[in-house]
Amino acid sequence: MNLPRLLQSISELVLLFVFQFAFPAALGDEVRLDAGLPLFLFPVVLVMLLTCCHTRTGCFLEFQGFKYDEMCHHVGDTTSNFPLIADYSQRPYFVEIHEGRINEYNLAAASAQRVINFQALFIPLIMNILLF
């Protein structure tokens, strides 16, 4: 976890809170509650979004890792049994299986990357809509 960045964000929220509520009160102006609403709403919505995104990203990355392990196990099994495969002329069959495993892994990796890219764009978009 990037603790200095987290502390910086928390200190910025505290300063915004002080500026929105304490400064008008010190000047004798009316304190506007609607101006401070995003300060309370932003962290709550952000935590909810990050929790949902973390769960979804974790599922896709776990599936990608499963497909990678499956592909690696197939390579290991094929190389350990290669003399038997070569003796019975089964090389094209095992190449076809390996190509299928590579394609499955590539699809899983592409899906995981799409989810990560979508979330990298979606969360800032939602935060901007929420704040404005």
Side-chain angles (χ1 to χ4, degrees), residues 65-75 101 104:
F66 172 74
K67 288 299 181 182
Y68 183 75
D69 289 343
E70 195 176 69
M71 182 179 66
C72 290
H73 285 299
H74 181 261
V75 169
R101 299 271 167 97
E104 289 174 0

Side-chain angles (χ1 to χ4, degrees), residues 76-87:
D77 292 343
T78 303
T79 54
S80 65
N81 295 322
F82 184 73
L84 188 61
I85 293 168
D87 288 344

Side-chain angles (χ1 to χ4, degrees), residues 4 8 23 25 32 68 129:
Q8 178 186 359
F23 191 69
R32 294 182 46 208
Y68 183 75
I129 288 172

Side-chain angles (χ1 to χ4, degrees), residues 11-63:
S11 64
E12 288 174 358
L13 283 173
V14 169
L15 286 174
L16 284 171
F17 176 78
V18 168
F19 181 73
Q20 290 291 336
F21 293 109
F23 191 69
L27 293 178
D29 292 339
E30 180 182 333
V31 177
R32 294 182 46 208
L33 295 178
D34 62 334
L37 184 64
L39 291 174
F40 297 112
L41 197 58
F42 180 78
V44 172
V45 172
L46 185 61
V47 166
M48 289 186 332
L49 279 173
L50 289 177
T51 303
C52 293
C53 291
H54 176 71
T55 304
R56 183 181 167 123
T57 304
C59 290
F60 275 90
L61 291 176
E62 185 177 325
F63 184 69

